[in-house]
């Protein structure tokens, strides 16, 4: 099985133990430290225990110091900085804590750009630490110099270039505060090599200096006038719905969501990132909306008279053509980030607040009244659901190959049903939408995916981070053969770390499936750049010392999942599914969410641009 190099051992290469410098107790004068040692102590003070990264020239002083602190700071050596960043994201998404990733200057830093952008889009708390060339060389195109603070301005909540080591204690406190407060997100700290090497006496009490940064927190008062207005709208509504997003999960407000829904008899729709906020089998739980949302959910949105959006930012994958979204509804929007409110969809009641206190306040303000009219509304939605029988209709779809994608998800659901010790991390593409639609999501933070950025390659490293964060749970990766090949090098990291709780299900259709689906439905089947080959994934797993399975018949899927689950090590299952299965429903790009396709159009679309090589 996996080989462990003992990367967390507390011994020097010479076999002698090295005592880390003691972190001074409060009230004791701290001794002089290098900037790099201060970085380690600042991380420990922020309760960081695990970091994901790759060393290199300009970050070497930090790695040198890390050795002394290795009993308290575990470093996971990833195979690519993109993997390190996604691993830190997975750690953060599983725990709600700030994830930490590290890269050297130049290419190390630019390789972190994708996960930083991903964390930005999905509100994931992340601190990225990068080394920078010595301050005397800044701006000279020195070896491995890249202006990473310039590059990451639009995709970080804030970033810092530290050239003066004495700023490090304050900068680290500010960075972690910014990453985890308000709408969480990524912060980058770029530290020149000379600042890491400089010796000084750190001042841990220097106050934060963040003029103008006043994020909302759970302790802040909620605007009571807005709460009363929202409660009144909900009380008077005959056809209300709640749209629950990532903010509910981030705020830990699932109980408050359920309490309000039950008190007022309002059905709840969960966005991709809201899956798990409301148990799938709760009578008021409707499922996912949007481009691949269920028919009854999208129709409920288009017919509702009041829509309470809590913690979702009206992504265009949810709204379709925004001007046509929920055309009859008065809209209440609760968001911790005021800039999201009214950005894409008109809003009637604006509540800038954390989801938990806001939902609690609305429940208190809501007069207890009759819900008879609501019951009629709920029955109407459920009748739509029964008519379309989305889940059943999908799984009953004719089997055109020995293994259909839905066979894989059926088998997974059966394996998950009686267990609670799992999470699923999905990648981007068809398998991601099938997982969202077909798996039964009941608990928060069990569904982790790349939503806003849609980053292929996210799943395997993010699962690695989630697995390290919580060794008691099995982390299932659901990934396409395309996305898997983007970051499959992290199998080596999983093997080196000896992780036993990562299980990988590759939904292998031999295509970049989601793009191929669009080409089939909207571009006259012109499969340009989408047919895809790959290695024998089971053998690839075995080559890493992991366990590999190949499944090409539905009858074998449940046994493979059980065997992988019970195997005391990381396992990879290559599910070779029907190549041209599609995700339905689908709302064509730019259309209203009511305009769903439930099957390929009768007349296939032809490419809009005729071939320049066509014979005259
Ligand atoms: C890094 C990146 N490159 C390109 C895309 C565009 N894209 C979206 S889905 C998709 C196909 C994914 O194929 P695969 O991983 O095999 O999953 P499938 O759709 O077949 O389930 C592509 C190329 C993307 N989302 N991310």
């Amino acid at each position: 099985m996996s080989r462990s190099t003992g990367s967390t051992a507390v011994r020097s290469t010479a076999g002698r133990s090295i005592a880390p410098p003691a972190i001074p107790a409060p009230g004791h004068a701290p001794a002089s430290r290098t900037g790099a040692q201060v970085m380690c102590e600042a991380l420990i003070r922020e309760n960081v225990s695990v970091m994901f990264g790759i060393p290199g020239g300009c970050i070497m002083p930090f790695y040198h110091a890390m050795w002394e602190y290795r009993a308290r700071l575990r470093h996971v050596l990833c195979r690519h900085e993109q993997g390190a960043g996604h691993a830190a994201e997975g750690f953060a998404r599983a725990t709600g804590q700030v994830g930490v990733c590290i890269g050297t200057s130049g290419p190390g830093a630019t390789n972190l750009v994708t996960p930083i952008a991903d964390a930005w889009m999905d509100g994931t708390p992340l601190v990225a630490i990068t080394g920078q060339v010595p301050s005397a060389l800044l701006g000279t195109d020195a070896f491995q110099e890249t202006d990473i603070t310039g590059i990451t301005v639009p995709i970080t909540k804030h970033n810092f270039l530290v050239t003066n080591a004495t700023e490090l204690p304050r900068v680290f406190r500010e960075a972690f505060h910014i990453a985890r407060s308000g709408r969480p997100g990524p912060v980058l700290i770029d530290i020149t090599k000379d600042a890491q090497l400089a010796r000084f006496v750190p001042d841990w009490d220097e106050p934060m200096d963040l003029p103008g940064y006043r994020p909302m927190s759970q302790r802040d008062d909620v605007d009571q006038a807005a709460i009363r207005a929202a409660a009144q709208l909900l009380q008077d509504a005959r056809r209300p719905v709640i749209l629950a997003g990532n903010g509910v999960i981030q705020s830990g407000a699932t109980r408050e969501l359920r309490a309000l829904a039950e008190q007022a008899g309002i059905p709840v729709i969960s966005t991709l990132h809201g899956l798990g906020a409301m148990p799938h089998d709760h009578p008021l739980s409707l499922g996912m909306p949007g481009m691949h949302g269920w028919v009854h959910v999208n129709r409920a949105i288009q017919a509702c008279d009041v829509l309470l959006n809590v913690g979702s930012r009206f992504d265009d994958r949810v709204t379709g053509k925004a001007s046509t979204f929920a055309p009859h509804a008065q809209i209440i929007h609760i968001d911790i980030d005021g800039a999201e409110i009214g950005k894409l969809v008109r809003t009637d009641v604006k509540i800038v607040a954390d989801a938990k206190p806001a939902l609690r306040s609305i429940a208190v303000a809501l007069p207890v009244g009759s819900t008879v009219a609501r019951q009629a509304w709920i029955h109407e939605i459920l009748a739509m659901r029964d008519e379309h029988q989305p889940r059943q209709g999908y799984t009953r779809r004719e089997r055109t190959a020995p293994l259909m994608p839905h066979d894989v998800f059926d088998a997974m659901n059966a394996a998950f049903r009686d267990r609670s010790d799992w999470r699923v991390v999905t990648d981007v593409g068809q398998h991601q939408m099938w997982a969202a639609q077909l798996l039964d999501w009941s608990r928060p933070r069990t569904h982790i995916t790349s939503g806003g950025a849609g980053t292929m390659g996210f799943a395997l490293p993010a699962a690695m981070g989630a697995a390290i964060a919580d060794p008691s749970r099995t982390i299932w990766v659901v990934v396409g053969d395309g996305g898997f090949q983007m970051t499959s090098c992290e199998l080596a990291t999983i093997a080196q770390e000896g992780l036993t709780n990562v299980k990988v299900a590759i939904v292998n259709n031999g295509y970049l499936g989601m793009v191929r689906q669009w080409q089939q439905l909207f571009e006259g089947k012109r499969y340009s750049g989408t047919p895809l080959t790959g290695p024998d994934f089971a053998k690839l797993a075995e080559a890493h010392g992991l366990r590999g399975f190949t499944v090409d018949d539905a009858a074998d899927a449940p046994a493979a999942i059980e065997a992988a689950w019970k195997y005391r090590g990381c396992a990879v299952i290559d599910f070779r599914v029907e190549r041209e299965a599609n995700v339905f429903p689908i709302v064509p790009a730019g259309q209203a969410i009511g305009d769903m396709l439930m099957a390929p159009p009768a007349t296939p679309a032809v490419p809009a641009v005729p071939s320049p090589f066509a014979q005259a």
Side-chain angles (χ1 to χ4, degrees), residues 428-431 454-456 480-483 486 509 511-515:
V428 175
Q430 292 181 305
H431 63 279
T455 306
M456 283 171 73
D481 44 326
M486 286 197 178
N509 52 16
Y511 278 112
L512 294 173
M514 185 58 95
V515 180

Side-chain angles (χ1 to χ4, degrees), residues 33-175:
R33 297 270 190 274
T34 65
Q37 288 177 319
V38 167
M39 289 161 68
C40 294
E41 290 182 19
L43 290 165
I44 292 168
R45 284 167 188 262
E46 294 296 336
N47 290 322
V48 172
S49 55
V50 187
M51 310 173 296
F52 303 88
I54 300 185
C58 285
I59 195 74
M60 277 188 70
F62 180 39
Y63 275 79
H64 182 81
M66 222 185 264
W67 183 253
E68 301 154 30
Y69 296 85
R70 63 195 183 283
R72 295 180 67 179
L73 284 176
R74 175 178 177 186
H75 176 266
V76 176
L77 173 68
C78 297
R79 295 303 181 268
H80 190 291
E81 289 85 356
Q82 181 185 354
H86 291 320
E89 285 191 278
F91 184 95
R93 294 276 292 279
T95 59
Q97 297 163 18
V98 180
V100 177
C101 56
I102 307 163
T104 192
S105 64
T110 54
N111 279 348
L112 287 173
V113 167
T114 296
I116 291 172
D118 194 87
W120 168 255
M121 295 296 279
D122 284 347
T124 304
L126 183 79
V127 168
I129 299 170
T130 49
Q132 183 53 280
V133 301
S135 47
L137 295 180
L138 279 173
T140 66
D141 292 335
F143 176 65
Q144 292 192 330
E145 181 185 9
T146 298
D147 176 9
I148 195 65
T149 47
I151 289 170
T152 57
V153 163
I155 51 168
T156 48
K157 284 184 79 176
H158 195 56
N159 65 27
F160 301 86
L161 170 60
V162 182
T163 55
N164 177 351
T166 62
E167 293 176 0
L168 285 166
R170 176 180 52 76
V171 164
F172 269 69
R173 268 178 66 204
E174 290 175 355

Side-chain angles (χ1 to χ4, degrees), residues 278-360:
M278 190 85 171
H280 74 101
D281 54 355
H282 189 285
L284 289 169
S285 184
L286 296 187
M288 190 173 75
M291 180 171 273
H292 294 292
W294 293 127
V295 174
H296 65 284
V297 178
N298 283 349
R299 294 215 172 130
I301 290 175
Q302 295 307 75
C304 72
D305 61 359
V306 173
L307 184 143
L308 167 61
N309 172 358
V310 51
S312 134
R313 58 187 179 79
F314 284 131
D315 184 275
D316 54 85
R317 286 294 193 263
V318 169
T319 62
K321 189 176 176 188
S323 59
T324 63
F325 180 75
H328 311 295
Q330 297 215 270
I331 291 179
I332 306 160
H333 191 170
I334 302 169
D335 204 296
I336 199 160
D337 180 359
E340 291 296 345
I341 301 181
K343 185 177 90 177
L344 292 160
V345 169
R346 72 203 147 69
T347 304
D348 299 284
V349 178
K350 162 181 172 169
I351 302 173
V352 184
D354 182 273
K356 192 186 271 218
L359 288 170
R360 229 183 244 155

Side-chain angles (χ1 to χ4, degrees), residues 290-571:
M291 180 171 273
H292 294 292
W294 293 127
V295 174
H296 65 284
V297 178
N298 283 349
R299 294 215 172 130
I301 290 175
Q302 295 307 75
C304 72
D305 61 359
V306 173
L307 184 143
L308 167 61
N309 172 358
V310 51
S312 134
R313 58 187 179 79
F314 284 131
D315 184 275
D316 54 85
R317 286 294 193 263
V318 169
T319 62
K321 189 176 176 188
S323 59
T324 63
F325 180 75
H328 311 295
Q330 297 215 270
I331 291 179
I332 306 160
H333 191 170
I334 302 169
D335 204 296
I336 199 160
D337 180 359
E340 291 296 345
I341 301 181
K343 185 177 90 177
L344 292 160
V345 169
R346 72 203 147 69
T347 304
D348 299 284
V349 178
K350 162 181 172 169
I351 302 173
V352 184
D354 182 273
K356 192 186 271 218
L359 288 170
R360 229 183 244 155
S361 303
I362 293 178
V364 170
L366 204 60
V368 181
S370 158
T371 55
V372 174
R374 306 275 167 76
Q375 279 160 7
W377 164 234
I378 292 164
H379 286 142
E380 192 183 318
I381 300 171
L382 296 184
M384 283 194 276
R385 178 169 72 182
D386 291 346
E387 188 192 334
H388 293 284
Q389 291 184 320
R391 186 182 303 253
Q392 299 87 332
Y394 183 85
T395 53
R396 279 192 210 136
R397 189 173 294 157
E398 235 174 282
R399 177 169 285 130
T400 54
L403 182 65
M404 298 293 286
H406 57 77
D407 295 322
V408 176
F409 294 99
D410 269 359
M412 288 190 112
N413 245 348
F416 290 169
R417 205 157 285 142
D418 299 327
R419 295 169 156 118
S420 57
D421 56 343
W422 53 267
R423 299 180 207 272
V424 174
V425 183
T426 66
D427 210 71
V428 175
Q430 292 181 305
H431 63 279
Q432 177 192 33
M433 293 298 113
W434 283 318
Q437 291 178 335
L438 300 174
L439 297 180
D440 293 338
W441 304 106
S442 294
R443 284 167 296 113
R445 297 192 188 278
T446 51
H447 172 260
I448 297 173
T449 196
S450 167
T455 306
M456 283 171 73
F458 170 86
L460 184 70
M464 183 170 78
I468 287 172
D470 184 358
S472 69
R473 292 197 200 212
T474 297
I475 314 297
W476 276 91
V477 176
V478 176
V479 62
D481 44 326
F484 181 70
Q485 291 187 70
M486 286 197 178
T487 49
S488 58
C489 55
E490 299 305 341
L491 285 179
T493 311
I494 289 171
Q496 177 170 350
E497 292 296 316
L499 299 182
T500 58
N501 57 333
V502 177
K503 317 288 172 178
V504 184
I506 305 173
V507 184
N508 179 359
N509 52 16
Y511 278 112
L512 294 173
M514 185 58 95
V515 180
R516 182 212 58 77
Q517 170 170 344
W518 282 47
Q519 290 172 330
Q520 179 190 346
L521 300 186
F522 310 121
E523 297 186 2
K525 257 191 155 184
R526 192 185 280 205
Y527 292 168
S528 173
T530 46
L532 178 72
T533 63
D536 181 326
F537 294 121
K539 280 191 185 157
L540 184 72
E542 301 279 350
H544 283 88
L546 312 173
R547 189 73 202 273
F549 301 86
T550 304
V551 175
D552 50 21
D553 192 301
D556 300 330
I561 289 172
E562 280 305 321
W565 206 311
K566 291 190 180 132
Y567 176 64
R568 292 169 67 83
C570 171

